[in-house]
Amino acid sequence: MLFSETYIDVILPLGVPNMYTYHVPDDLKDQLDIGFRVVVQFGKSKLYSAIIYRVHSNPPKAYMAKDIQMVLDDKPVVNENQLKLWDWIREYYMCHPGDVMSAALPSGLKLSSETQVLLNVDVTIDPSILTDDEFLVFEALEINQVLSLDEISKILNKKGVYPIVKMLLERQVIVVLEEIKTKFKPKKEKYVKLNSVYQEEVKMKALFDELLNAPKQFAILMKYIELSQMFSGEESAVKQKVLLDASGASSVQLKSLEKKGVFSIQEVIIGRLGDFSDEKGKDLVLSPSQQTALEEVQSNFETKDVVLLYGVTSSGKTEVYVKQIEDTLAKGKKVLYLLPEIALTTQIINRLRKYFGDQVGVYHSRFNQNERVEIWNRQMSPKGYDIILGARSALFLPFENLGLIIIDEEHDSSFKQFEPSPRYNARDSAVVLSKIFGAKVLMGSATPAIETMNNALAGKYGLVSMTERFGGVKMPKIVIADLAKAHKKKQMQGHFSSQLMEEIKGALDRKEQIILFQNRRGFSPYIACKTCGWSPYCTRCDVGLTYHKYLNRLKCHYCGFERHIVKKCEACGSHEVELSGFGTEKIEEDMSLIFPDAKVGRMDLETTRSKNAYQNIISDFEDKKIDILVGTQMVTKGLDFENVSLVGVLNADQSLNFQDFRAHERSYQLMSQVAGRAGRSSKQGLVIIQTYQPEHPIIQQVVAGDYEGMYHRELIQREEFGYPPYQRLIRVILKHANKEKLTDSAQLFVDALQSSFGSRVLGPEFPGVPRVRNRYINQIFVKVENAASINRVKNMLVDHMVVFKQNKVNSGVQVIIDVDPY
């Protein structure tokens, strides 16, 4: 709707609380609508691309609205349903509109402002008045017309060019141009096409004769005829790269043919996404238990919007998902399939392709910005994918007619965004997204989150159980290796019990595969002096450095700081400095030394940094090119390897001792999930858990596969101490470089909060790692009863934050709000 005077409220990609209002010039009124990007000036000179949130006729009361600079789009890049989700995330997770915009939009759709200069054509310039440096800039601008400040710096071979530019501006020699540059560049391929005149036989024969003395050009022509199938009646253009590679010629020789008018070469915009070959059509037959589960899911959907599919590992939940997807697509609706880890998409996409072919699109953070923009734009078009498979960022894609959201491994903590803001949980946000579309949500897990199971048992969600593995395969046998006894009886070989070593050898002899789980990366997590106990710490974080052998460096896993390996104690001077503990890199090396004929692979953050690393490692393991796979929690997620007969959990105690009310729940989930990777085909698998606490309740529940026992035990403790699902948590994080100032400010904040919330406020306290990147961290927890108004609590909390920040004593203290932490 357009008005006599048109104003727009926009979302800026900045951490500011409010949206801003801009005036729309008359000549741009009919070029914009909600969801368009516009270029606006914010502050004195900065230009930003912003998203139109609302179009109206009300000028702002507190300031004079500036005109928008330009409209960037001819159609919306964000739809109104997305903006509804952004609103909910902003309000619920107490963040700024720009935070959500920055998280949602691929970087290729966010624009950057770059200062550029050009000659002032309205002024006659006398070059004689210019200094040598000024004349060089003037001369360069006459040739290049526009220069950035970086380019001027290179021309003058000087870093400090601002005084020179300032003087040129004062003399009106140049003017400054703020130009918005888009980061997205479509991918292009060059294609070669034969000139139509050579379709005539006489002309072609003459061309052959002409090229007899130019063998490379002749080879190009002959290879083009072969590749284009021009004499079969189906001639098509040929990729330039393919043609040159096949003919053994160079681009110079091809250019000569273009100049002669033989070929035309055109650049064609192509997609980076590589549509999947259509394998659609394979029929899926469910087992009786899977068919029963599917029917129960569909029955629950008649009265519930959310259903939890609680199925043991390898029970065949994915096949139930596939059938539910088929049902949704048959109704003309779309599907979003969320996974917690990028690693999982590699296997799941191949399974979905068997049934849905190129109807499936993939979206996650390992795609480069151009690929993400292409998927985004495709989803905004009528050719959008019917099924989107991705990690949590896929939640923000522009959907139309969404009918089903599948949240696989719904318990996984990777669905929670921790840094930066917005600190949202994709699982919970997906439920809100489903309500916007009137869609259904199917959550699946062998070890559901306590809150999810509580919602299901309370009747808020539907509940469907699958208690047997597909095909009647037995659940893996889980045994405990008591490390205390093994050390006492000298039955350890390095970090491995004799029991685990015997089973690894047996599995290798039978040509079976092994997974070893150790939730610490690096070679050695600790390095210490045997004489005085000194250990090297990060200079910017209060955490010990981990030794990485492949780097031969000590590295901080919080800020990335590195230093050389320590050979002498920096406290007492002793040379008795030794490595202790073990990470995945150490396990990989030990396995290679103990079993030299075995092929050992590793899957952790270090080995999976590149875009296709996950896929390569998983493919190699599936193809049996890796016998022993060592990994962190990446190997615990729902991966399916039919030849894995043995899983070793090398240090079960590590996760049990975290200072977190979810530590026992997470430990159970972690160990049960990794155990579920064993024996997924015909033979029963074996899981060996190494621990110093064999009688620990969680260890015993993992061995027994007693999720219900863990669930009820956790509920009792959480009700007693007032933790979710009985109360909600809001965490307030305070940061500052000065520890004493932070401590004082944190206490002031707690005192203020306790005046409103009383004993519901816990803290302040320093976390396990109290300093990261030279900033100390303090945290406060506010508990909120389920019956209380969460919005009222949040409003009161915001009021306290405002007062806190207005107090000069607290200047420089950063305040971060995390709703539903952990």
Side-chain angles (χ1 to χ4, degrees), residues 23-212:
H23 177 257
V24 181
D26 290 342
D27 60 329
L28 296 179
K29 283 183 180 180
D30 58 352
Q31 298 180 28
L32 49 76
D33 205 343
I34 293 172
F36 280 57
R37 289 177 303 162
V38 291
V39 177
V40 297
Q41 181 182 342
F42 186 76
K44 291 184 177 180
S45 60
K46 292 289 185 180
L47 295 182
Y48 295 94
S49 61
I51 297 289
I52 299 177
Y53 180 83
R54 190 165 71 99
V55 183
H56 57 90
S57 60
N58 304 315
K61 295 179 180 179
Y63 54 91
M64 179 70 71
K66 298 176 183 176
D67 283 350
I68 64 171
Q69 303 288 314
M70 68 181 80
V71 181
L72 293 175
D73 308 299
D74 55 9
K75 59 184 177 181
V77 297
V78 176
N79 62 42
E80 293 193 41
N81 285 327
Q82 286 174 286
L83 292 175
K84 290 177 183 177
L85 179 65
W86 291 16
D87 281 343
W88 181 85
I89 290 176
R90 171 177 58 83
E91 292 172 5
Y92 186 81
Y93 292 103
M94 300 180 70
C95 58
H96 302 311
D99 295 337
V100 187
M101 174 183 170
S102 295
L105 285 181
S107 59
L109 289 177
K110 291 175 283 192
L111 304 178
S112 60
S113 177
E114 181 182 356
T115 300
Q116 296 184 311
V117 300
L118 65 163
L119 289 176
N120 187 352
V121 296
D122 296 326
V123 175
T124 302
I125 300 163
D126 179 7
S128 64
I129 67 170
L130 304 178
T131 65
D132 290 344
D133 285 340
E134 291 168 358
F135 182 78
L136 284 174
V137 175
F138 171 75
E139 194 174 43
L141 283 169
E142 284 190 313
I143 298 170
N144 296 293
Q145 295 183 333
V146 180
L147 291 174
S148 70
L149 298 190
D150 282 343
E151 290 168 337
I152 292 174
S153 180
K154 290 175 183 177
I155 290 169
L156 299 179
N157 196 25
K158 290 182 178 180
K159 290 185 177 180
V161 298
Y162 289 93
I164 299 167
V165 173
K166 180 174 179 289
M167 183 57 69
L168 288 170
L169 285 168
E170 289 176 356
R171 290 177 172 171
Q172 298 185 335
V173 175
I174 61 173
V175 292
V176 171
L177 171 71
E178 286 286 343
E179 181 181 8
I180 293 290
K181 288 190 173 181
T182 180
K183 295 177 182 176
F184 173 65
K185 294 181 180 179
K187 185 177 181 180
K188 296 180 180 180
E189 285 274 14
K190 288 184 177 180
Y191 280 80
V192 179
K193 181 84 173 178
L194 187 70
N195 193 316
S196 58
V197 71
Y198 292 104
Q199 298 289 345
E200 300 176 18
E201 185 176 343
V202 175
K203 293 285 187 180
M204 178 60 78
K205 186 177 184 304
L207 180 60
F208 283 159
D209 294 339
E210 181 184 345
L211 297 180
L212 285 177

Side-chain angles (χ1 to χ4, degrees), residues 290-308:
Q290 289 174 324
Q291 184 63 38
T292 299
L294 175 64
E295 291 170 0
E296 289 182 10
V297 167
Q298 294 174 339
S299 175
N300 272 275
F301 274 150
E302 292 177 7
T303 56
K304 307 287 184 185
D305 292 329
V306 182
V307 174
L308 170 62

Side-chain angles (χ1 to χ4, degrees), residues 631-646:
T632 56
Q633 61 177 342
M634 291 178 184
V635 302
T636 71
K637 320 277 171 131
L639 298 170
D640 191 354
F641 303 111
E642 63 177 18
N643 196 43
V644 173
S645 65
L646 175 65

Side-chain angles (χ1 to χ4, degrees), residues 709-727:
M710 183 277 296
Y711 169 77
H712 290 296
R713 182 174 179 270
E714 283 294 296
L715 274 189
I716 291 170
Q717 293 185 352
R718 294 192 191 184
E719 185 175 25
E720 180 181 354
F721 294 104
Y723 283 109
Y726 296 101
Q727 293 190 33

